[in-house]
Amino acid sequence: MSSEQATRRNLKAVENAVAQQRLEGLAVPPEVIEDLQRAARGEIAIEDGIKMTYQRFAYGEIRGR
């Protein structure tokens, strides 16, 4: 599989994951989606995307009451 095909596959996986969250009634913040897409394109490591997401929400409430 070429790197272009792998990137398309990864971006589709991000799209599907975000859609699944929306089906569950959850909203994925645009900056998190951007990080996921950057990781899918290989611009950042997946671990870095996870760290950035954690840092954004480490002190906030994840779920509503």
Side-chain angles (χ1 to χ4, degrees):
M1 176 181 305
S2 73
S3 64
E4 185 177 318
Q5 289 172 321
T7 299
R8 278 197 304 264
R9 184 195 68 208
N10 292 344
L11 288 170
K12 187 64 174 174
V14 168
E15 185 180 318
N16 289 338
V18 171
Q20 181 64 41
Q21 294 302 299
R22 288 185 179 138
L23 286 172
E24 295 290 333
L26 303 171
V28 180
E31 57 272 9
V32 173
I33 295 172
E34 289 174 25
D35 289 343
L36 291 170
Q37 291 170 337
R38 289 176 60 209
R41 290 189 297 266
E43 296 170 7
I44 62 171
I46 293 170
E47 295 82 8
D48 293 336
I50 292 169
K51 286 177 190 175
M52 287 186 284
T53 299
Y54 179 76
Q55 289 170 351
R56 282 190 185 103
F57 299 102
Y59 302 106
E61 186 173 317
I62 301 295
R63 297 178 184 228
R65 296 177 198 255

